[in-house]
Amino acid sequence: MENVRYDAFISYRHCELDSFISENLHKKLESYKLPASVLKKIGTGRTKIERVFRDEAELPLSDNLSDPITLALDNSEFLIVICTPRLKESMWCRKEIETFVNTHDRKHVLLVLAEGEPEESFPDILMYEDITAKDENGNDITVRVDREPLAADCRAENNRQRLKALDNVVLKLCAAIFGLNYDDLRQRHRERQIRRRIIAMSSALAIVSVFAVTCLAFTVKISRQNRVISDKYAGAMASVSENLLSQGLRKDAIYAVRNVLPDNEKDGYNTDAYNALVQAIAPYETEKCYFPAGDFHAPQDVRGFDVSNDGAYALIRCEGFFSVRDISEDNEVCRVESELSDATLFSDAGVVYIDDNLRVMQLDIATGEETVLSEEGYDLYYASGTKTLLVFSSEGITGLKDGREDFKIALDAAGIDDADMEVENVYITDDGAYAAFSVYEYDDIWCGIIDISAGKLKSCLKVEDADCAIACTDGSRMYIYCENEGDYTGVVTSGLMKAVDTSGKETAVCDIPGSGFYKMQEGDNGIILVSDSLAYVLDDDLNIRSAITGYMDAVCVLPAEEGFVIVDALGRMFSDSVFSNVDRTYSLYGHNDDAMISHAACTDDKLFVKYADTNRIVEYSPDEITAKVMKDIGDATGFNGNSDADIDISDLEGIEDISVFYRAVSGDGKYIAVNSNDGILFIYDTSDKRKVKEIYDSDIVLMHAVFPYLKNAHVYIIENRVFDENFNMISRLPNGALAAIGKDQKSVVTGSPYSLDTYYEITLMSFDEMIRKADDILGDYVPGADICEKYNIDHAGE
């Protein structure tokens, strides 16, 4: 980097608006070319800005800027500062500005006002300058002089307007960088646009005057080709939208297809793109789903992450460091270099971690201040219910509250050598009152219960004849799963589950078929024991209530209304349904098996998922059913479609070439639908018997001969497909049988796919209503530059 020179260095605060401005300004600066008419004023031979430096990640937490950043500042001719009210809060931006002005002329600092007023957004250091003057006695003195830095304004109400305003900002910045007058560049920019238009218009007029007919035909052909290209691009965006939705990027999925759909249905639209929009919005959902509620960035090489109990912050563990991110703002608030980053803990008191010297450290994420909580520790666990930090060390178990020692438990009295023990697992009850643990001490395994509220060891016992053991507790009893070494071939085929009271007495025991169980969790509806592909749900007396199978590599276990839900690496969700014949399993909305999940974490009401092939962590929230739940059909009118196997179809166009399977007449009597045996649905006009549409969908079978028309929604329904009046499929109804249509002629009633006793009333939305819904969801949201470049999504205004 020592030989790399930069025309400019962009300094900005790492948060959503500031990052958006810096990314797009960077791109526009490096793509702007000076008009030929002003090149002679420069005399350097340069025609454009060659290189601009902008860091793409947060700076490491240290007292000084990193060497590459300092070197880039030294090698930059100008410093461009993105100014918002948040800028003054960043000590790194302040350090960048201070470093630059110490080695450069202050005239080489350029400001871009992105939000707020100048007095609240401009950095203080640039609002004055210390100069040397003479006092009345002729002595040198330092005088502070107020100065007004050069600034360009790109403030606007939304990102689309900001992108447009940046064009003018680029002219002002380039004028300063190349030593030109702004009016010269603005005038030349206008002249260049006018000249190009005149040349284009003159050429077009000349061609039209000579080749009028040919030009007209060619124009029509180009227009048709453009429509074809636009339609194909819209179809491609439909696939992009489905891909983004499968990764949980719901807003990006909506944006991708909203960008290629018109505001008005009459302008024509690509039905695949509209279908993808409906799928991403999910206005007709009747199944229990976890819906994408947002997402935030993660560093590369994530090894795992935790989320604070309030869902406000995420602690992300990586190779050699961990990062804490503000989830709502999607920005990094601190980063700590630590080779033991797997031993970190995020609590509501801040970040607690073990440093490379095995000290227990607490970091205040607001101030960056670090405090030593303990001189030694090798495992940390946090009981959020009682706000107690459990520290395992060679001296036993220490409980810390508010940064101070609340209790200390020496395990040597129970027969455990504290200095040589190795923690296998620790389970903490939801209320934070109790913790169960299993530890190794040489070849022995010990399990115990800690009464956190009382600060004492409630129970501890040695597990005999076992190769490994894990434990959990409900406070009154401890549940222990232990596994032997296996038979003479080394294959483990079963384990043992035991329940013991506080005195160590066994109260229940159960043989567990299978092996490899590594997680145990107690809940309101029993105990779950989990391996990579098999889980058992047991009652409090250790009777196996049910088994959960079919998943691959469990990444998270969630409590459910009646038991537990397992999320696997393929994004599928599995639960036991012993209390009911109704399958109550949730699903991740929009997810498909191609999007692998590498890590997951949960709070009481949210699920956070890290997909393997992206640097995003997606937040999911369980959503209420959007349709109206009905116990019976009630006032629904039944079907207004007619069906009869004896419908005369002999005079329909080309009917002799069709092997007819089923037939039905539309509810308004205008059309006849005919199923063929080869999976094609033919639509005929009843007035002239003409074929108006062929629909290639082998899943549409008029077995029930249902073909209603909803006059107030202007749609036809065949099976669970919804068609517009030109028989373009615009959406699908949720799975389940169509039971009736509403009296309002705009809603339908579907039967539950799980129970015939439950129905859902769904109000169909028009094209215009769906577009307004998409715009309400998006607001001024624009996907990041990485998403737009990867999937070729057009930025608004470009």
Side-chain angles (χ1 to χ4, degrees):
M1 288 186 60
E2 294 180 0
N3 298 322
V4 178
R5 307 295 300 178
Y6 299 97
D7 294 292
F9 181 111
I10 299 179
S11 177
Y12 64 101
R13 182 72 188 273
H14 289 260
C15 51
E16 185 175 356
L17 173 62
D18 308 52
S19 297
F20 175 82
I21 295 295
S22 67
E23 288 177 13
N24 286 281
L25 178 62
H26 187 181
K27 186 164 48 176
K28 288 177 179 289
L29 280 173
E30 290 192 344
S31 62
Y32 178 78
K33 291 185 179 180
L34 290 169
S37 56
V38 303
L39 294 179
K40 59 185 179 181
K41 291 187 177 183
I42 301 176
T44 61
R46 295 170 60 194
T47 62
K48 58 176 292 188
I49 291 177
E50 298 294 337
R51 196 159 187 171
V52 175
F53 182 92
R54 179 179 63 86
D55 70 314
E56 295 181 350
E58 286 283 352
L59 296 174
L61 191 63
S62 63
D63 292 335
N64 300 302
L65 297 177
S66 65
D67 291 340
I69 297 295
T70 303
L71 191 56
L73 286 166
D74 290 341
N75 291 346
S76 298
E77 184 178 358
F78 283 85
L79 176 67
I80 300 173
V81 183
I82 309 300
C83 298
T84 67
R86 294 171 295 280
L87 177 70
K88 294 182 179 182
E89 301 171 2
S90 171
M91 66 175 178
W92 299 116
C93 291
R94 185 179 71 251
K95 286 178 177 291
E96 288 173 352
I97 297 170
E98 291 174 350
T99 301
F100 187 86
V101 298
N102 285 336
T103 56
H104 296 73
D105 192 327
R106 284 176 179 258
K107 294 179 180 179
H108 283 224
V109 180
L110 310 176
L111 305 185
V112 175
L113 183 59
E115 189 180 49
E117 298 302 321
E119 59 270 16
E120 64 177 337
S121 302
F122 287 176
D124 294 337
I125 189 175
L126 299 179
M127 302 302 291
Y128 66 84
E129 183 175 7
D130 292 335
I131 63 173
T132 301
K134 300 288 187 180
D135 63 10
E136 58 186 6
N137 298 322
N139 299 319
D140 288 340
I141 60 173
T142 300
V143 179
R144 178 160 292 182
V145 178
D146 293 336
R147 64 185 303 272
E148 183 176 351
L150 178 63
D153 194 343
C154 69
R155 291 174 293 179
E157 294 182 358
N158 54 56
N159 285 344
R160 296 184 183 184
Q161 294 178 5
R162 293 184 186 103
L163 284 172
K164 188 174 181 180
L166 280 178
D167 291 336
N168 196 46
V169 169
V170 168
L171 294 179
K172 287 188 176 182
L173 295 179
C174 286
I177 291 173
F178 289 105
L180 299 168
N181 290 325
Y182 165 64
D183 288 339
D184 286 343
L185 282 187
R186 183 176 61 175
Q187 184 65 25
R188 296 300 184 274
H189 183 67
R190 290 177 178 174
E191 290 175 356
R192 181 160 56 182
Q193 288 181 322
I194 293 172
R195 188 161 50 250
R196 287 176 177 174
R197 291 170 183 169
I198 292 175
I199 293 172
M201 290 176 63
S202 300
S203 301
L205 288 172
I207 294 172
V208 169
S209 63
V210 179
F211 305 105
V213 176
T214 304
C215 182
L216 180 60
F218 190 64
T219 301
V220 170
K221 184 177 180 180
I222 289 177
S223 178
R224 289 174 179 170
Q225 290 176 341
N226 284 339
R227 284 198 298 269
V228 171
I229 291 172
S230 297
D231 190 64
K232 288 185 176 179
Y233 178 70
M237 286 300 102
S239 298
V240 166
S241 177
E242 292 172 2
N243 189 352
L244 290 168
L245 184 61
S246 73
Q247 302 173 48
L249 307 180
R250 191 184 190 189
K251 281 192 174 182
D252 294 341
I254 294 174
Y255 185 95
V257 283
R258 175 62 185 96
N259 237 21
V260 297
L261 290 170
D263 294 337
N264 193 304
E265 180 180 9
K266 295 179 180 179
D267 294 333
Y269 58 90
N270 180 281
T271 55
D272 289 338
Y274 184 68
N275 268 297
L277 180 71
V278 175
Q279 182 182 1
I281 294 176
Y284 309 136
E285 190 55 50
T286 61
E287 293 183 351
K288 289 190 173 183
C289 292
Y290 275 74
F291 278 88
D295 61 273
F296 57 95
H297 287 79
Q300 298 293 332
D301 193 27
V302 173
R303 300 300 177 89
F305 69 92
D306 297 315
V307 177
S308 60
N309 294 327
D310 58 4
Y313 296 95
L315 182 144
I316 307 171
R317 294 183 288 275
C318 304
E319 178 67 28
F321 73 93
F322 64 83
S323 167
V324 177
R325 296 192 72 85
D326 183 317
I327 292 176
S328 62
E329 295 294 331
D330 192 10
N331 67 296
E332 187 177 72
V333 294
C334 68
R335 176 179 294 201
V336 174
E337 305 295 330
S338 173
E339 293 300 326
L340 297 175
S341 58
D342 61 332
T344 58
L345 176 81
F346 186 44
S347 74
D348 51 13
V351 179
V352 182
Y353 70 98
I354 297 175
D355 69 8
D356 295 340
N357 295 317
L358 299 183
R359 296 182 304 173
V360 179
M361 308 293 294
Q362 179 170 314
L363 171 65
D364 187 320
I365 59 176
T367 65
E369 181 180 352
E370 288 190 304
T371 304
V372 179
L373 298 183
S374 176
E375 293 296 334
E376 184 195 60
Y378 47 76
D379 269 299
L380 301 175
Y381 298 90
Y382 185 64
S384 59
T386 52
K387 297 185 177 182
T388 303
L389 177 68
L390 299 180
V391 180
F392 287 75
S393 70
S394 62
E395 297 180 352
I397 305 171
T398 303
L400 302 177
K401 277 189 178 182
D402 299 323
R404 296 185 297 274
E405 182 177 310
D406 184 55
F407 62 82
K408 178 171 286 187
I409 300 172
L411 298 179
D412 53 1
I416 304 174
D417 188 342
D418 297 332
D420 292 310
M421 72 174 179
E422 178 182 345
V423 179
E424 173 67 7
N425 88 294
V426 173
Y427 172 84
I428 299 174
T429 57
D430 290 340
D431 60 5
Y434 299 94
F437 65 87
S438 62
V439 298
Y440 289 84
E441 183 256 329
Y442 296 115
D443 294 330
D444 295 327
I445 303 174
W446 297 79
C447 293
I449 301 177
I450 304 169
D451 186 335
I452 299 174
S453 300
K456 64 180 182 180
L457 188 64
K458 191 172 183 180
S459 175
C460 189
L461 60 91
K462 182 188 291 187
V463 180
E464 303 290 347
D465 301 324
D467 185 52
C468 64
I470 53 177
C472 73
T473 182
D474 59 7
S476 62
R477 293 198 296 179
M478 179 167 54
Y479 305 98
I480 303 170
Y481 168 78
C482 49
E483 195 170 275
N484 295 324
E485 294 183 0
D487 58 20
Y488 67 94
T489 65
V491 176
V492 179
T493 59
S494 65
L496 194 67
M497 187 83 169
K498 297 190 293 186
V500 297
D501 60 21
T502 55
S503 67
K505 179 183 177 182
E506 289 186 7
T507 59
V509 65
C510 175
D511 288 322
I512 302 294
S515 63
F517 296 96
Y518 60 86
K519 181 180 180 64
M520 187 158 48
Q521 186 169 322
E522 193 271 340
D524 294 337
N525 296 297
I527 304 158
I528 188 168
L529 188 62
V530 182
S531 74
D532 283 337
S533 58
L534 171 66
Y536 290 111
V537 179
L538 305 94
D539 61 23
D540 292 342
D541 294 325
L542 302 189
N543 299 305
I544 296 179
R545 197 182 74 191
S546 62
I548 305 176
T549 60
Y551 63 86
M552 186 189 80
D553 296 333
V555 293
C556 193
V557 178
L558 304 172
E561 295 176 2
E562 298 177 348
F564 303 90
V565 172
I566 291 177
V567 184
D568 77 352
L570 296 178
R572 300 172 300 178
M573 306 179 81
F574 299 80
S575 71
D576 65 312
S577 55
V578 69
F579 293 107
S580 172
N581 293 324
V582 178
D583 183 359
R584 297 184 180 275
T585 305
Y586 282 89
S587 63
L588 297 184
Y589 183 76
H591 184 276
N592 63 44
D593 289 354
D594 294 333
M596 295 288 291
I597 294 175
S598 59
H599 305 89
C602 63
T603 63
D604 290 340
D605 59 350
K606 294 178 181 178
L607 173 66
F608 295 84
V609 167
K610 168 70 173 65
Y611 287 101
D613 57 350
T614 71
N615 65 335
R616 302 279 190 94
I617 294 176
V618 180
E619 174 188 331
Y620 286 91
S621 295
D623 230 353
E624 294 294 328
I625 295 174
T626 55
K628 178 183 177 182
V629 181
M630 306 171 64
K631 290 302 179 182
D632 53 53
I633 297 179
D635 293 333
T637 63
F639 299 118
N640 60 9
N642 301 312
S643 62
D644 190 343
D646 295 327
I647 294 173
D648 184 11
I649 61 173
S650 61
D651 56 351
L652 297 180
E653 176 189 349
I655 196 65
E656 64 275 4
D657 299 324
I658 300 173
S659 177
V660 177
F661 196 34
Y662 294 107
R663 69 199 75 177
V665 178
S666 64
D668 57 359
K670 292 182 178 181
Y671 300 98
I672 297 175
V674 175
N675 258 138
S676 71
N677 283 330
D678 53 2
I680 303 175
L681 184 71
F682 298 91
I683 306 296
Y684 289 91
D685 189 313
T686 55
S687 61
D688 59 11
K689 313 302 180 182
R690 180 177 52 89
K691 182 169 58 180
V692 297
K693 193 82 171 183
E694 293 183 10
I695 301 172
Y696 295 86
D697 190 337
S698 59
D699 292 331
I700 300 180
V701 180
L702 289 168
M703 185 176 296
H704 304 290
V706 176
F707 189 4
Y709 173 70
L710 280 69
K711 64 180 181 181
N712 291 332
H714 306 290
V715 297
Y716 295 92
I717 299 178
I718 306 176
E719 292 295 310
N720 69 333
R721 273 70 161 177
V722 181
F723 296 89
D724 64 16
E725 292 178 318
N726 294 317
F727 288 96
N728 297 308
M729 194 187 83
I730 55 177
S731 62
R732 294 171 182 251
L733 298 176
N735 292 331
L738 187 62
I741 61 174
K743 281 186 176 181
D744 60 359
Q745 289 288 303
K746 194 175 181 180
S747 63
V748 296
V749 178
T750 64
S752 167
Y754 308 123
S755 172
L756 295 179
D757 297 329
T758 303
Y759 296 90
Y760 299 99
E761 184 178 20
I762 298 167
T763 300
L764 300 178
M765 296 172 63
S766 67
F767 179 94
D768 294 342
E769 289 172 329
M770 200 71 71
I771 291 297
R772 288 197 297 271
K773 179 76 171 178
D775 291 342
D776 288 342
I777 294 173
L778 289 176
D780 65 350
Y781 177 79
V782 176
D786 56 335
I787 292 292
C788 291
E789 291 173 6
K790 181 177 180 180
Y791 295 102
N792 195 28
I793 299 174
D794 285 340
H795 256 288
E798 290 190 0

